[in-house]
Amino acid sequence: MTMVAMMPMQVSIRRQTASGRVALALFVLAVIGLAAMPWWARTGTIRMVLELCCYIAVAQMWNLLAGYAGLVSVGQQAFMGAAGYALFVLAQTFGINPFLAVFLSLLVPLVLAVPCYLLLHRLDGPYFAIGTWVVAEVFRLVASNLSWVNAGAGMSLSVMKDYSAFQRNIAMSLFCALLVLVSIGGSYWFLRSRFGLALIAMRDNPVAAASQGVNVRRLRFLIYVAAAVGCGLVGAVYFMAQLRINPPSAFDPMWSNLAIFIVMVGGIASIEGVLIGTLIYFIADRWFGEYGASYFVVLGVMTVLVALYARTGIWGMISKRWDAPWFPIRRHLVLERDKP
């Protein structure tokens, strides 16, 4: 026993798993399939998949905010609407290529997120959430009274008629792939980096993380700005596909509601949970959306039940039974004995 204990050991860190390798391969194939949709899918299917990708991206942005940074926001639609309006102004008013304007419009949520966070960061818990909703309502009221965005009547993206249906399908498919790649792939890459390690430590215990040198304030600020830009990308792409924007749709609080439902039901602080929750919401919306108010009541009751009895969501229950993460971010210490 003494000789075994004294044998030299090699220490290594394992970060990937068999399930993770399979999921990564499927993720790459999914991104390629999304980009190639014009050659295998109809226009209606592409629009439906685009909506699904928007749900995934918005939910993942909210997941980063609430699940990791501890910032519960109910006003991310503010940045979606701001970027959407910026796209319409750049393309329709100034004549900029609408596909290029999608990326230029991201400067608006990037700039707006800084003063918004400086205004809200002193608030905590429910006060922060209420503050984000107030900011979104202010954005809606401003857009409703600005004549150069046609006030409450909204704007139409008539410049899109200069492009054929096939060209628009190609653009929408590439944007679908970009949304998934940035929201899921980007989050996975970030969480596996040293900044992600600091973010996970902050999620578990902000005070302890700060005592170990993590700049909690700066990290929360960066996550808030990144989530604002991510939601802005969703807004620009979504309203480009809709060809129409007005204040009620641009700043619709339903976007925050569906993000909360997706993350809470699927599993907070997990990429897998976002994907599971999005599929549940998307299927439920397609099958039961026609029932109106009663349908939303059922979704709300489901969210409350999960929050009370399964706080880690569906993915949390799955991972307790089977340790097979699709997007592994944990580090496993592996000890190997050297051969004599």
Side-chain angles (χ1 to χ4, degrees):
M1 293 295 293
T2 305
M3 293 181 61
V4 172
M6 295 181 62
M7 290 179 63
M9 306 286 285
Q10 285 186 343
V11 179
S12 60
I13 297 177
R14 179 170 59 87
R15 303 185 62 187
Q16 191 56 272
T17 63
S19 59
R21 295 187 184 94
V22 173
L24 183 60
L26 293 176
F27 177 75
V28 172
L29 291 176
V31 172
I32 295 174
L34 290 172
M37 278 194 297
W39 291 274
W40 62 265
R42 297 180 178 180
T43 300
T45 303
I46 293 175
R47 296 180 71 88
M48 183 176 64
V49 173
L50 176 67
E51 187 176 349
L52 176 65
C53 293
C54 288
Y55 292 163
I56 291 174
V58 168
Q60 181 56 22
M61 293 303 102
W62 194 88
N63 188 36
L64 287 176
L65 277 174
Y68 291 95
L71 300 173
V72 179
S73 171
V74 292
Q76 291 306 106
Q77 65 271 14
F79 304 111
M80 294 180 61
Y85 265 106
L87 163 69
F88 277 65
V89 170
L90 290 172
Q92 194 65 38
T93 306
F94 294 101
I96 297 176
N97 183 295
F99 306 121
L100 174 61
V102 169
F103 300 100
L104 294 178
S105 66
L106 300 184
L107 294 174
V108 175
L110 176 64
V111 172
L112 292 176
V114 175
C116 287
Y117 184 80
L118 294 178
L119 180 66
L120 298 171
H121 80 283
R122 295 184 180 275
L123 303 176
D124 193 20
Y127 300 102
F128 180 88
I130 294 172
T132 59
W133 175 77
V134 171
V135 168
E137 284 299 296
V138 170
F139 281 24
R140 183 185 64 81
L141 292 173
V142 170
S144 299
N145 290 278
L146 282 179
S147 59
W148 54 277
V149 295
N150 207 20
M155 302 179 68
S156 297
L157 198 62
S158 59
V159 294
M160 292 297 289
K161 70 178 184 298
D162 298 333
Y163 302 91
S164 66
F166 186 69
Q167 288 175 319
R168 293 197 296 268
N169 285 344
I170 291 177
M172 293 300 105
S173 300
L174 292 176
F175 281 129
C176 283
L178 180 63
L179 284 172
V180 173
L181 188 63
V182 170
S183 61
I184 302 300
S187 297
Y188 181 48
W189 170 80
F190 180 80
L191 291 172
R192 285 173 62 88
S193 68
R194 64 188 184 92
F195 297 104
L197 189 63
L199 186 62
I200 294 171
M202 186 179 73
R203 174 200 66 186
D204 295 336
N205 192 322
V207 177
S211 68
Q212 296 299 314
V214 176
N215 193 329
V216 174
R217 290 184 178 180
R218 183 176 65 181
L219 196 53
R220 281 179 170 168
F221 169 73
L222 293 176
I223 293 297
Y224 184 85
V225 173
V229 174
C231 288
L233 178 61
V234 175
V237 172
Y238 180 81
F239 289 108
M240 169 182 278
Q242 298 297 314
L243 302 178
R244 175 92 185 148
I245 190 171
N246 55 46
S249 63
F251 304 100
D252 189 354
M254 187 60 194
W255 284 103
S256 291
N257 297 339
L258 71 88
I260 294 171
F261 172 83
I262 288 171
V263 175
M264 294 298 295
V265 171
I268 194 167
S270 66
I271 299 175
E272 298 88 345
V274 168
L275 297 177
I276 292 173
T278 302
L279 287 176
I280 292 174
Y281 177 82
F282 188 75
I283 294 172
D285 185 58
R286 285 294 178 274
W287 285 0
F288 307 110
E290 61 185 30
Y291 293 100
S294 58
Y295 157 69
F296 290 114
V297 170
V298 172
L299 293 183
V301 171
M302 186 184 300
T303 306
V304 172
L305 291 176
V306 170
L308 291 176
Y309 302 106
R311 295 192 176 185
T312 55
I314 294 175
W315 177 251
M317 294 188 294
I318 294 174
S319 59
K320 286 180 181 178
R321 189 174 182 86
W322 296 286
D323 187 17
W326 303 344
F327 299 93
I329 59 176
R330 291 181 297 174
R331 292 163 170 81
H332 299 272
L333 188 66
V334 180
L335 302 178
E336 298 177 353
R337 292 187 176 89
D338 288 341
K339 295 182 179 179

